[in-house]
Amino acid sequence: MDFQAGILQDGSPMESLEKQLICPICLEMFSKPVVILPCQHNLCRKCANDVFQAANPYWQSRGSLISGGRFRCPSCRHEVLLDRHGVYGLQRNLLVENIIDIYKQECSSRPLKKGEHPMCKEHEDERINIYCVTCEVPTCSMCKVFGAHKDCEVAPLETIFQGQKTELNNCISMLVAGNDRIQTIISQLEDSCQSTEENSEAAKRELCARFDALAALLEEKKAELLQRISQEQADKTAFIQSLICQYKEQLEKSSRLVETAIQAAEETGGAAFLMVRPQTHPGGIVEASKGGRLDKIEQGYESMDAFSVSLEHLTEAVHALDFDTAEEDEEYFDGEEEEVEE
């Protein structure tokens, strides 16, 4: 016997009870056996098995080698984990089954009232009991015999009802399974997004560490080269200062000799002149005039051109910096393997 939502009056307690006994998959009253999910929602075992099979297409039977599977509750989307028994491992809800039995007994004891079954609009006293396959509408027997559907192909209403209901249930199962797969894909994409962010942060930290190490190496090299320039400057400056001191001493000696020679030249007496003569002997003057023979610096001695550094190749290398590609990594590892084999 088919129990539909329109049997009782709107708002009655029995109608409210009937709504609580509707399966969210087939949208009909629960059929035995009724299974209870871990989230405390109920399903017909057949509907639960259809959803489970759609979500686990490779799970065949209780004798399958696959240990179990999972699907989501159509009411709350809670993930249900099953063992190797599949849906048959779920606990039956005997309380709901007993309530359904009592409800059906109550409904069967109520007499049917006129108007509870849809009636034909053309023939008010005729119930709609057949289905016009040609026009795809339910109709009555009088419409088939005398009315607008006398030349149409018809079929029993219950047959069409059961067929379309089964098709709808299959579509619902497919939709539920599709939603479960979509939810799985969304979860995977969310995990991939989080992993991408974490890997990006790790790559940024590694890149900063490498550039910091390179900058530290450049600073160390710069300090080393500056030290070499400073040392060369100190050596050259010390040598030039020593030459300046030598030339100053020579100049001082030559200046004193000039003063002595001038004094001797101003003497008018022969004895006095000859007494000063040894100090102004031409040999000493000539020797003093040779002060220019002291060490000298070469031309361009003060130049520091030898300490110029060309950074063009380094600049080009910095501009050419880029991330390693997977192909380059494979070639690198292939080269290492060949070297090991050799």
Side-chain angles (χ1 to χ4, degrees), residues 8-245:
L8 303 176
Q9 296 180 355
D10 294 341
S12 65
M14 293 298 290
E15 181 183 6
S16 299
L17 176 61
E18 180 182 358
K19 291 181 180 179
Q20 300 298 321
L21 301 177
I22 298 299
C23 174
I25 299 297
C26 61
L27 302 180
E28 294 292 331
M29 186 172 295
F30 290 117
S31 61
K32 291 184 181 180
V34 180
V35 294
I36 181 169
L37 303 180
C39 56
Q40 302 304 312
H41 289 112
N42 299 289
L43 292 177
C44 306
R45 176 178 286 176
K46 179 181 181 303
C47 296
N49 189 60
D50 292 341
V51 175
F52 175 68
Q53 292 289 346
N56 302 270
Y58 298 106
W59 196 94
Q60 298 177 357
S61 65
R62 283 179 287 178
S64 174
L65 296 177
I66 300 178
S67 61
R70 64 184 64 193
F71 70 96
R72 292 187 180 276
C73 172
S75 299
C76 64
R77 307 302 298 162
H78 176 77
E79 189 174 56
V80 180
L81 300 178
L82 301 180
D83 57 15
R84 61 187 180 87
H85 299 289
V87 174
Y88 293 90
L90 293 174
Q91 184 179 2
R92 290 179 60 178
N93 195 334
L94 300 178
L95 176 61
V96 172
E97 294 181 7
N98 294 334
I99 293 175
I100 291 175
D101 291 338
I102 297 174
Y103 177 82
K104 288 182 177 180
Q105 293 175 5
E106 177 68 19
C107 290
S108 61
S109 63
R110 291 173 174 266
L112 292 176
K113 299 179 180 180
K114 184 179 180 180
E116 290 181 351
H117 194 283
M119 308 299 290
C120 178
K121 294 182 179 179
E122 299 294 332
H123 309 89
E124 296 182 356
D125 295 332
E126 294 292 330
R127 300 174 60 184
I128 295 179
N129 55 1
I130 60 175
Y131 185 83
C132 179
V133 179
T134 304
C135 301
E136 297 183 349
V137 294
T139 185
C140 71
S141 300
M142 297 299 294
C143 288
K144 169 58 182 173
V145 178
F146 305 106
H149 302 283
K150 62 181 179 180
D151 297 326
C152 298
E153 180 184 357
V154 297
L157 186 65
E158 185 67 21
T159 302
I160 301 298
F161 163 68
Q162 293 296 336
Q164 292 190 2
K165 181 180 178 181
T166 302
E167 182 181 359
L168 178 60
N169 291 337
N170 293 335
C171 292
I172 292 174
S173 300
M174 291 174 59
L175 287 174
V176 172
N179 292 340
D180 187 59
R181 287 192 292 269
I182 292 175
Q183 183 63 41
T184 301
I185 294 174
I186 291 175
S187 300
Q188 293 176 349
L189 291 176
E190 291 176 347
D191 294 340
S192 298
C193 183
Q194 182 177 358
S195 298
T196 300
E197 293 178 356
E198 294 174 355
N199 294 337
S200 297
E201 293 299 325
K204 290 177 182 179
R205 290 193 298 268
E206 181 181 359
L207 183 65
C208 291
R210 290 179 180 270
F211 269 84
D212 291 342
L214 180 60
L217 180 61
L218 289 175
E219 287 294 332
E220 181 180 354
K221 193 64 177 178
K222 182 178 73 172
E224 177 187 346
L225 296 179
L226 288 175
Q227 178 62 28
R228 290 173 58 183
I229 294 175
S230 299
Q231 185 62 43
E232 185 68 13
Q233 174 189 356
D235 293 342
K236 287 188 175 183
T237 302
F239 179 69
I240 295 173
Q241 290 292 344
S242 66
L243 290 181
I244 291 174
C245 291

Side-chain angles (χ1 to χ4, degrees), residues 252-269 272-286 288-289:
E252 185 177 355
K253 292 179 181 179
S254 178
S255 298
R256 290 198 301 266
L257 185 58
V258 170
E259 292 178 0
T260 304
I262 292 175
Q263 292 178 2
E266 291 177 352
E267 290 294 340
T268 56
F273 176 78
L274 293 175
M275 289 178 65
V276 184
R277 175 62 173 165
Q279 299 178 11
T280 59
H281 191 274
I285 295 176
V286 172
S289 66

